[in-house]
Amino acid sequence: ELEQLAIAPNPVRDLLQINNTLGVSKFKISNIFGQTIANVFSNGDSEKSIDVSAFQSGTYVLTSFNKEDQPIGVAKFVKI
């Protein structure tokens, strides 16, 4: 079962802050149709900010992956 990622603010306009990112090597952002919108790489720090200002308004799924490319966390967010 995937861990729930701690994100804020939600809904978001520009910068999405993710708080529990220790051990994460990559984030994938998908739209509600499952299409990948962005891959964002991380160095495993405990926090990460992702600029979503260029995204169209809508609902997105954020998935985190470990260095073995296995999904470990997930969160839904709304871009306004």
Side-chain angles (χ1 to χ4, degrees):
E1 187 171 311
L2 299 180
E3 177 184 358
Q4 184 66 33
L5 293 170
I7 60 171
N10 192 11
V12 59
R13 286 188 192 279
D14 44 26
L15 278 183
L16 183 69
Q17 183 72 33
I18 312 156
N19 292 323
N20 53 338
T21 62
L22 206 60
V24 173
S25 64
K26 180 181 83 173
F27 294 95
K28 180 176 80 172
I29 300 173
S30 307
N31 64 19
I32 56 171
F33 305 109
Q35 298 165 309
T36 300
I37 304 301
N39 285 303
V40 179
F41 294 91
S42 175
N43 55 9
D45 289 345
S46 60
E47 292 185 350
K48 179 76 176 173
S49 292
I50 298 177
D51 184 356
V52 297
S53 60
F55 288 24
Q56 293 182 347
S57 297
T59 301
Y60 294 89
V61 178
L62 175 72
T63 308
S64 61
F65 294 84
N66 63 17
K67 64 181 183 293
E68 288 82 30
D69 210 32
Q70 297 169 316
I72 54 174
V74 68
K76 277 188 179 175
F77 69 93
V78 174
K79 166 67 170 77
I80 52 175

